[in-house]
Amino acid sequence: PFSPAGLLNSGNSCFWNALVQALFAATPIFRGALFQLDLSSSGSATAGGNAAGGMGDPSAVLCKLRDLFAEMDMGLASAIDAGELYRMIFHRAEEADVSEQMQRLFQLAASGPGPLKAVCRELFSGDLLERQRSGPVRRVPLDMCQLDLCVGGDGGSGSGGSAELDGEASSLEWLLEAHTKDVQGNIEGRSYRLPPVLWVNLDRFVYDRELQRGRKRQAHLSFPEVLNVWMLVPPDEPWVQGLRATARKRAELLEALRRNRAELASRSAALAGQAPEDAEEALLGLVEDQEKLAEQVLKLEEDMAREGAEQELLYTLQAVIVHSGRVDT
């Protein structure tokens, strides 16, 4: 079967290659807008414009990105080199993580010709809505709507912000809920007008006082194949009230399910020395309760998925880019 060309590692280019491939595969509208670019009349868009044009020459960069996407799309080679494009955008000695690379590439694309700029605005832009304790909601336009989530914090502060996750399992949905409450000063909460393509950046760095430097927090985080972003829309909107009520009920049931499992594990350990029939009878009630709770949670999740689809709040996972870690599917 046909598959697009991959990208060669041209020297520490894993972040960059992953970003380019994610953009190529996950945003066909952006790819199509690039293919329709006609920059042949621009003297800066020549193949040799990389050194002279540099960061100040969006036309040369967009031409190179268009040609790279075309090569990937044709798939004539199993792998091609995207290093020249990287060097056009970044200085040779400059290091940037994938979030910074995406921001820089977006700035260049958004400064391109009108049709491409319109596509970028349609696909990637949104609004941050800050609910203030006193006064109206403040709207902050975001040319590139990227959610920056911190997974390294003080945990039990009760603020609803970032959390201690070393060795613990968490979900992207939980982090997004915490993100809406991770505010300071006069800001009471945050919500968004979201774009069709949503970028989420996870900051796993925490300062290690013993080492006197930052370290990357190791955490087990689950990414759903379909993400319901009900928690990110303005909470006062009438149409989201049913979804929020269902989400609160699900949270209560999940907590009851957690307590049930903890008690079941505790009793199982305490009854380890008893006869099998006695132990089974003692635990049967807890097992039955657990099954009922799990069925209720599943029903509520189905209801949330249906309502989320009706309100166009569902995002399909397209790519996960991870550094110093691994992804299990």
Side-chain angles (χ1 to χ4, degrees):
F2 172 80
S3 60
L7 298 178
L8 296 169
N9 191 327
S10 55
N12 237 4
S13 63
C14 50
F15 269 160
W16 175 247
N17 286 359
L19 170 61
V20 170
Q21 291 180 90
L23 265 180
F24 174 87
T27 56
I29 296 177
F30 176 73
R31 187 171 74 236
L34 269 180
F35 287 162
Q36 295 178 43
L37 281 182
D38 182 11
L39 302 173
S40 57
S41 60
S42 172
S44 63
T46 60
N50 59 334
M55 267 298 297
D57 193 354
S59 295
V61 172
L62 294 176
C63 253
K64 180 62 69 175
L65 180 62
R66 178 197 61 191
D67 295 346
L68 177 65
F69 274 15
E71 283 190 72
M72 294 171 67
D73 194 48
M74 288 186 289
L76 299 179
S78 60
I80 53 182
D81 190 351
E84 185 178 355
L85 177 61
Y86 183 88
R87 291 186 289 274
M88 291 176 70
I89 301 174
F90 302 95
H91 299 298
R92 289 181 180 275
E94 182 179 3
E95 290 189 10
D97 66 21
V98 72
S99 174
E100 295 166 336
Q101 291 172 0
M102 180 59 203
Q103 292 283 352
R104 190 81 63 86
L105 187 57
F106 173 80
Q107 289 170 4
L108 287 165
S111 63
L116 181 63
K117 189 183 300 184
V119 168
C120 288
R121 186 166 55 248
E122 178 68 25
L123 289 180
F124 304 118
S125 68
D127 294 311
L128 167 63
L129 306 172
E130 294 180 327
R131 191 171 67 255
Q132 303 179 83
R133 301 184 192 280
S134 58
V137 173
R138 180 168 61 191
R139 173 181 170 271
V140 182
L142 302 173
D143 292 333
M144 171 68 183
C145 188
Q146 173 180 283
L147 305 185
D148 294 306
L149 309 182
C150 181
V151 297
D154 57 6
S157 63
S159 65
S162 56
E164 290 280 353
L165 290 178
D166 269 346
E168 297 180 13
S170 187
S171 68
L172 182 58
E173 185 182 62
W174 184 90
L175 283 178
L176 289 171
E177 284 191 69
H179 174 72
T180 64
K181 305 168 188 174
D182 186 16
V183 293
Q184 297 177 343
N186 191 43
I187 307 301
E188 192 175 43
R190 60 161 70 99
S191 56
Y192 293 88
R193 179 188 67 81
L194 296 170
V197 179
L198 183 61
W199 293 84
V200 180
N201 178 52
L202 300 177
D203 181 4
R204 294 192 289 133
F205 277 101
V206 62
Y207 184 73
D208 191 314
R209 289 185 173 86
E210 292 183 4
L211 299 176
Q212 296 293 302
R213 61 176 175 81
R215 68 175 176 87
K216 189 161 286 188
R217 184 179 296 277
Q218 296 301 313
H220 181 203
L221 185 66
S222 63
F223 294 84
E225 290 188 16
V226 177
L227 174 67
N228 190 332
V229 295
W230 62 268
M231 75 294 291
L232 296 177
V233 300
D236 298 330
E237 292 287 349
W239 54 267
V240 81
Q241 298 311 310
L243 248 175
R244 298 185 74 88
T246 305
R248 286 193 295 271
K249 180 62 177 176
R250 185 190 60 164
E252 294 171 2
L253 288 175
L254 286 172
E255 175 58 24
L257 190 57
R258 184 196 65 78
R259 291 196 302 267
N260 174 283
R261 287 170 175 163
E263 186 176 357
L264 184 60
S266 176
R267 288 197 187 182
S268 297
L271 297 173
Q274 295 188 13
E277 58 274 10
D278 296 335
E280 182 178 343
E281 184 177 352
L283 300 176
L284 186 58
L286 283 173
V287 172
E288 291 176 349
D289 291 343
Q290 186 176 122
E291 291 175 350
K292 291 177 183 177
L293 287 169
E295 289 176 1
Q296 292 175 40
V297 168
L298 180 60
K299 175 64 167 60
L300 288 178
E301 289 179 341
E302 291 173 349
D303 292 343
M304 290 181 68
R306 185 182 65 254
E307 293 181 57
E310 291 172 357
Q311 301 297 341
E312 298 183 348
L313 297 176
L314 303 185
Y315 283 79
T316 302
L317 180 67
Q318 297 292 329
V320 176
I321 303 174
V322 62
H323 179 256
S324 294
R326 72 173 190 272
V327 177
D328 298 321
T329 59

